[in-house]
Amino acid sequence: MTIAIVGDHNPQSVPLAATDSAFARAGVPVTWIPTPAVEADPALLAGYDGVLIAPGSPYVSMAGALDAIRYARENDLPLLGTCAGFQHVLVEYARNVTGIVGADHAEVNPAADELVCVPLTCNVVGQLARVHVTPGTFAAELYPASETVEPFFCTFGLNPRYREPLERSGLRFSGFDDDGEPRILELPGHRFFLATLYVPQAAPPEDDPHPVLAGFLKAAMG
């Protein structure tokens, strides 16, 4: 089993270093693929068993991150997006499935007309926060309980005005914070297509295996 991590690696980044550590503890080989490389040729992901869209926006190539998400979605390749990965899944799905052609990210293009991803109402960078997992969802099948406490590093999330059109076109939000803001999304019918606004790979090592990572790796194993 080999996992492609799509992102721009920076060993000084806490969530990126945690990503390396989590897969090393799991004994799973990974290959970091820079976002510009995916933009040049998304099909290079065909040789991998799963794709992780890494934390760390803004990416060097936003187009490359979006191309990786689209490739995994259209080819039923297991995909896990964390932090910025969650944010870019929102943009990719809005553009290519929901039909919001101008969907964009406020961190990259703040003047865009269709900002699907906007600053969070509260700053959760470097914090542990509670997430409520919705019963009957794929996420609920992964977690042993309906509540979990997870590490966050992000400052952007879903613009609530786009929740209904995204759901109407098939995306499902399956985890929420105490205020009802989405923290987990999934795509029903896909082998594994799930994204979290938090970074499960940064959970304490004593919590291994994290249920989200365990589910992702199980799907990648086929």
Side-chain angles (χ1 to χ4, degrees), residues 65-150:
L66 298 178
D67 286 345
I69 294 164
R70 183 171 187 171
Y71 184 90
R73 179 176 57 77
E74 293 182 341
N75 291 278
D76 200 32
L77 183 62
L79 178 135
L80 173 61
T82 63
C83 193
F86 176 102
Q87 298 160 20
H88 286 72
V89 167
L90 293 174
V91 175
E92 190 280 325
Y93 200 87
R95 287 184 183 180
N96 298 315
V97 180
T98 309
I100 306 170
V101 178
D104 223 318
H105 194 308
E107 183 178 33
V108 180
N109 294 306
D113 292 332
E114 301 277 12
L115 290 175
V116 173
C117 193
V118 296
L120 294 173
T121 55
C122 61
N123 189 337
V124 291
V125 174
Q127 298 183 32
L128 294 171
R130 185 164 48 233
V131 176
H132 304 269
V133 184
T134 304
T137 62
F138 179 70
E141 295 178 12
L142 299 176
Y143 277 100
S146 60
E147 290 187 7
T148 178
V149 176
E150 301 287 353

